[in-house]
Amino acid sequence: MKIKLPIIDYQNYLKSNVLPTFQPLIEHNLNSYIINQNLQVEIGTHVAAQAFGSTSGNDLSWLNFASYSDEEFLQQLFKQSYARYGKAWLAFHLKKLVYLQQLVFTKGLIIQFIDMLPYNNQYLSLMTTYTPIIHPNGEVVAIQAATIETYILRFQGHIDNPNISTYDKSFYDQFSAREREILFLICNGASQEQMAKILKVSRGTISSIIHHQLSPKFGITGSNMKKLMKQAIHAGMSRSLPEALWHPCIIVLNRALLDDANLSDATF
C-alpha cells in the first residue's frame, strides 16, 4: 500500500533527489521539465523555458497548470494567441493537461500525447511524454515531461519519404498564405472538394489556384495532382501547418484513454 509522504518529507525529497538529478539536463538541447504534485513546474531545461516564453529553466515557477482558468496566466502563456482563441477554448484544453497530470500522479501512468496549443504564440506540433517519478514508498512525487517537435500528419510517407526534402526558405517565401494552405492540404492527401470546404471557398477557386499559380511555380504543366503532391512534399511544404489551418487541441495517444470522456472535445 502506498503511504503518502508528509509535506515536509515530500519537499525535501524533491530538493535532495529529484531536482539535483534533473539539474545536469538544463543546458542540454532538450525540451523537458519537472512538474510537482501541485501541477507547478519546478525546473526545466533552457529549451523548455524558451518554448514557454521564459529565458531560464530555473525561472518556470510561474507555470502552474492548475491556473488554467486564470486570465492573466493564460495571457502570459499564450501571448497574442490568447486574443485569437479566447479564454474558454484555451482553458478547456489546458484542463485536459491537468487531467492527464492527475492520472499520472494517481495511477502512475506513462502518458503520451500530441500538444497543439500555441504556447508563446508559437504554432508547433509537439509530442509530449509524461513519465512518473516514483518515491521508494511507491508514491508518484513528480512528473518528468519530455517534448519533441513532430509532424502534424504522417501518411505523406506512403507517397514519398517526408524526411527527405530540399526545404529552401526563399522558394517557400514566394508562395502566398493561401497557396501554402493549399499545398499543405495537397501534401496531406486532401481532395479539391475537401480543400474547398476547409478553406471556405469554391472548388473552382481551388482548381484555378492549382492550375494557374501552383503548378507553374513547380514547373508542372496542367494540373497533375500526383506530381504536384510529390514535389510539394519534397520541397518541405508538409512540414509546417499554416496558421490559418491551426486548431488548438490535445490528442492523447494512449489507447486505454481514447474513450475517456474527460478528454473529448464534445464536452466543450
Side-chain angles (χ1 to χ4, degrees):
M1 181 178 178
K2 299 176 186 177
I3 301 174
K4 191 169 178 63
L5 292 169
I7 185 64
I8 188 65
D9 291 343
Y10 170 74
Q11 292 172 343
N12 286 337
Y13 188 79
L14 283 181
K15 291 179 181 179
S16 61
N17 293 81
V18 177
L19 301 186
T21 301
F22 186 87
Q23 190 73 34
L25 298 177
I26 287 184
E27 300 287 346
H28 284 247
N29 188 28
L30 303 169
N31 186 337
S32 185
Y33 48 97
I34 300 294
I35 304 169
N36 65 27
Q37 289 180 342
N38 294 322
L39 310 188
Q40 179 183 32
V41 175
E42 286 276 350
I43 193 173
T45 61
H46 294 327
V47 172
Q50 291 166 11
F52 288 119
S54 291
T55 56
S56 169
N58 291 305
D59 187 30
L60 283 173
S61 59
W62 63 270
L63 183 51
N64 188 325
F65 293 94
S67 301
Y68 66 87
S69 62
D70 182 82
E71 186 172 349
E72 184 176 344
F73 170 72
L74 292 172
Q75 289 175 339
Q76 182 176 2
L77 183 58
F78 296 114
K79 306 294 190 295
Q80 297 93 324
S81 292
Y82 175 81
R84 176 177 179 182
Y85 295 107
K87 176 180 178 179
W89 187 242
L90 293 173
F92 172 73
H93 287 293
L94 275 185
K95 187 178 180 181
K96 291 183 183 180
L97 293 187
V98 167
Y99 178 70
L100 294 177
Q101 292 165 12
Q102 289 170 339
L103 286 179
V104 178
F105 279 115
T106 58
K107 298 188 177 182
L109 300 179
I110 295 175
I111 295 178
Q112 192 170 60
F113 56 94
I114 302 295
D115 187 339
M116 292 176 61
L117 300 185
Y119 305 111
N120 196 30
N121 200 43
Q122 298 296 308
Y123 296 88
L124 301 174
S125 174
L126 305 173
M127 180 178 288
T128 297
T129 301
Y130 283 165
T131 302
I133 298 175
I134 302 175
H135 186 272
N137 74 356
E139 180 184 359
V140 177
V141 293
I143 296 170
Q144 180 163 355
T147 294
I148 59 170
E149 188 174 352
T150 187
Y151 291 111
I152 307 295
L153 300 171
R154 291 308 302 265
F155 58 80
Q156 305 98 321
H158 292 288
I159 305 160
D160 202 354
N161 187 342
N163 295 312
I164 300 176
S165 68
T166 54
Y167 177 77
D168 182 338
K169 187 176 186 303
S170 61
F171 179 68
Y172 184 85
D173 288 346
Q174 72 177 279
F175 295 93
S176 68
R178 177 47 52 90
E179 289 173 338
R180 292 172 191 169
E181 292 161 10
I182 293 174
L183 284 170
F184 180 85
L185 293 171
I186 288 173
C187 288
N188 287 291
S191 67
Q192 291 190 22
E193 290 81 4
Q194 289 170 328
M195 286 186 269
K197 184 176 181 180
I198 291 169
L199 298 176
K200 296 180 173 58
V201 297
S202 69
R203 184 187 180 283
T205 297
I206 298 294
S207 179
S208 177
I209 292 174
I210 290 172
H211 184 81
H212 297 292
Q213 297 170 218
L214 297 180
S215 293
K217 289 181 180 180
F218 282 94
I220 297 172
T221 302
S223 299
N224 188 326
M225 290 291 289
K226 185 175 181 180
K227 191 172 183 179
L228 180 58
M229 178 188 290
K230 184 174 182 178
Q231 292 198 22
I233 291 172
H234 190 67
M237 306 304 291
S238 64
R239 288 179 174 269
S240 298
L241 180 65
E243 185 175 333
L245 297 177
W246 194 267
H247 180 73
C249 62
I250 299 294
I251 305 170
V252 179
L253 302 179
N254 295 51
R255 184 179 295 275
L257 298 176
L258 293 181
D259 295 323
D260 191 319
N262 292 291
L263 299 170
S264 172
D265 283 355
T267 60
F268 181 74

